[in-house]
């Protein structure tokens, strides 16, 4: 399969055809429909927000609605426990506790590439939803740089083909450009991008590498590429459309790299390890699905930044399931 000058790896036709098919659902803006007015920076008030935690209490017990704050961060003020099924290697089903943690998000700051292991939490300084969104986007793009550099070094250590290593290194360079573009959008809306802090890396097994690749790459980057392409078509803000149209194609190649890494490495694992990697990928997809189903982006982010609404995002996720089969 021939590569063009922008491709170090063969195109993943299933991935690209799936993305193209799903983009038909995106409402394409006409030139007349893009208002000349500057939407400005729309502030918002403090509100209740949520994040989710999967796992047991510190003492190994099962959390309940009465004690689940023990698995949440200190800023949580209430919680609720659910049970989710997790498939086991022997074909059985384990019911795992899944806790919704609720906290108060301050006015002007919203919370949520490939995130590296050991990424330290940070909060952007922003006075509005648009500024917060683009600051967080820039922070995640910046965090993807060390993630791809580490991937390149680990692939080299595990004897991966040279084209995979080169693609990972080039992806790091592309993430530098994405960071600059997102940072410019954040500054335009008065937001400051926090510094990226990552704990020191240590060597790990091929299975550990692939588990992270399954979650951050095959799931996270694939969905991220889909969302970037959607934004490039639907954002009313012309600068956002221009920036995301350039970013979207790069992110699609990053998703292709993730699937290429998995295709190369899975056969080098034992059958049991391969099943664990596939399970990690499936659990990451369901975690993303639950998060998307629980959040409705603010109207200004849907209109000006082009984020898919909750219903549209769920449609995109359902369409991407074909890649996980």
């Amino acid at each position: 399969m021939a590569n063009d000058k922008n491709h170090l790896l063969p195109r993943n036709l299933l991935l690209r055809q799936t993305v193209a098919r799903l983009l038909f659902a995106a409402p394409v803006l006409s030139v007349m429909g893009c208002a000349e007015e500057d939407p400005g920076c729309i502030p918002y008030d403090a509100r209740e927000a949520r994040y989710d935690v999967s796992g047991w209490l510190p003492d190994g017990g099962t959390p309940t609605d009465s004690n689940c704050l023990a698995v949440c961060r200190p800023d949580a003020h209430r919680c609720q426990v659910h049970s989710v099924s997790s498939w086991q290697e022997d074909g059985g089903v384990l019911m795992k506790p899944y806790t919704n943690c609720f906290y108060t998000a301050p006015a002007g700051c919203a919370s949520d590439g490939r995130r590296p292991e050991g990424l330290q939490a940070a909060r952007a300084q922003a006075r509005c939803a648009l500024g917060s969104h683009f600051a967080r986007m820039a922070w995640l793009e910046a965090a993807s740089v060390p993630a791809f550099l580490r991937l390149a070094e680990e692939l080299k250590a595990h004897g991966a083909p040279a084209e995979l290593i080169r693609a990972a290194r080039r992806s790091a360079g592309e993430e530098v450009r994405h960071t600059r573009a997102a940072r410019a959008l954040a500054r335009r809306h008065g937001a400051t991008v926090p510094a990226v802090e990552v704990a020191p890396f240590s060597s790990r097994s091929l299975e550990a590498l692939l588990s992270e690749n399954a979650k951050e790459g095959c799931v996270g980057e694939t969905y991220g590429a889909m969302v970037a392409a959607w934004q490039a078509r639907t954002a009313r803000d012309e600068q956002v459309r221009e920036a995301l149209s350039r970013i979207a194609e790069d992110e699609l190649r990053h998703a292709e790299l993730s699937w290429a890494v998995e295709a190369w490495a899975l056969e080098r694992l034992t059958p049991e390890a391969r099943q664990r990697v596939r399970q990690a990928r499936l659990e990451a997809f369901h975690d993303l699905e639950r998060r998307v189903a629980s959040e409705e982006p603010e109207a200004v982010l849907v209109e000006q930044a082009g984020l898919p609404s909750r219903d549209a995002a769920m449609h995109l996720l359902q369409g991407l399931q074909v890649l996980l089969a």
Side-chain angles (χ1 to χ4, degrees):
M1 188 182 303
N3 295 343
D4 61 33
K5 64 180 181 180
N6 291 321
H7 278 73
L8 298 177
L9 301 172
R11 292 174 182 265
N12 185 320
L13 294 183
L14 177 59
L15 172 62
R16 288 179 173 268
Q17 289 168 357
T18 301
V19 170
R21 174 175 54 80
L22 291 172
L23 280 178
F24 278 118
V28 182
L29 293 172
S30 67
V31 175
M32 294 297 292
C34 300
E36 293 295 327
E37 62 193 61
D38 183 355
C41 197
I42 301 177
Y44 57 96
D45 298 325
R47 67 207 187 282
E48 186 175 71
R50 181 188 122 189
Y51 61 91
D52 299 325
V53 177
S54 177
W56 286 265
L57 294 169
D59 63 4
T62 300
T64 66
D65 287 348
S66 62
N67 64 12
C68 54
L69 284 176
V71 302
C72 298
R73 299 192 306 249
D75 59 352
H77 59 261
R78 70 182 181 93
C79 55
Q80 187 174 16
V81 178
H82 307 276
S83 292
V84 296
S85 58
S86 175
W87 295 99
Q88 303 301 294
E89 294 178 29
D90 60 5
V93 177
L94 173 67
M95 300 305 294
K96 294 179 61 176
Y98 191 82
T99 304
N100 304 140
C101 301
F102 298 89
Y103 67 103
T104 300
C109 270
S111 56
D112 194 356
R114 175 182 283 259
R115 293 167 297 180
E117 181 182 69
L119 177 62
Q120 306 300 299
R123 185 179 293 278
Q125 296 299 315
R127 61 185 176 87
C128 68
L130 286 167
S132 182
H133 170 74
F134 291 121
R136 184 176 183 281
M137 174 182 171
W139 179 72
L140 287 172
E141 297 286 4
S144 295
V145 177
F148 276 116
L149 291 176
R150 183 192 192 186
L151 176 63
E153 291 305 309
E154 288 186 302
L155 288 173
K156 182 178 180 181
H158 287 292
E163 57 266 25
L164 290 179
I165 300 169
R166 288 196 299 268
R169 288 173 177 162
R170 188 180 75 168
S171 296
E174 290 169 343
E175 296 292 6
V176 172
R177 295 195 296 274
H178 299 175
T179 302
R180 292 176 185 148
R183 191 185 299 273
L185 291 171
R187 283 199 302 264
R188 180 183 171 209
H189 293 289
T192 300
V193 180
V196 170
E197 296 183 17
V198 182
F201 294 141
S202 58
S203 60
R204 56 184 176 176
S205 66
L206 183 59
E207 180 183 344
L209 181 160
L210 282 184
S211 292
E212 180 183 81
N213 182 72
K215 293 181 284 189
E216 297 295 331
C218 298
V219 174
E221 287 186 299
T222 298
Y223 179 66
M226 183 74 254
V227 170
W230 183 281
Q231 290 181 265
R233 291 170 66 91
T234 66
R236 288 191 64 190
D237 187 318
E238 183 178 358
Q239 290 188 28
V240 175
R241 294 200 310 277
E242 290 178 357
L244 269 295
S245 64
R246 292 190 292 269
I247 289 173
E249 176 60 29
D250 290 345
E251 296 294 351
L252 190 57
R253 286 199 301 272
H254 298 175
E256 286 179 316
L257 170 61
S258 300
W259 289 100
V261 167
E262 180 170 291
W264 165 75
L266 272 185
E267 294 305 315
R268 288 159 176 78
L269 299 180
T270 65
E272 295 77 16
R274 287 199 295 272
Q275 181 57 35
R276 288 193 293 269
V277 170
R278 293 190 178 102
Q279 182 65 27
R281 187 179 66 195
L282 187 60
E283 289 181 357
F285 179 82
H286 289 316
D287 285 344
L288 177 59
E289 193 173 39
R290 283 187 288 267
R291 181 170 64 83
V292 168
S294 70
E295 300 173 353
E296 181 65 72
E298 297 183 50
V300 67
L301 297 179
V302 174
E303 295 167 5
Q304 301 300 335
L307 285 181
S309 66
R310 178 168 52 196
D311 289 345
M314 290 302 296
H315 169 76
L316 298 180
L317 277 174
Q318 290 164 7
L320 291 176
Q321 287 189 78
V322 65
L323 301 172
L324 304 178

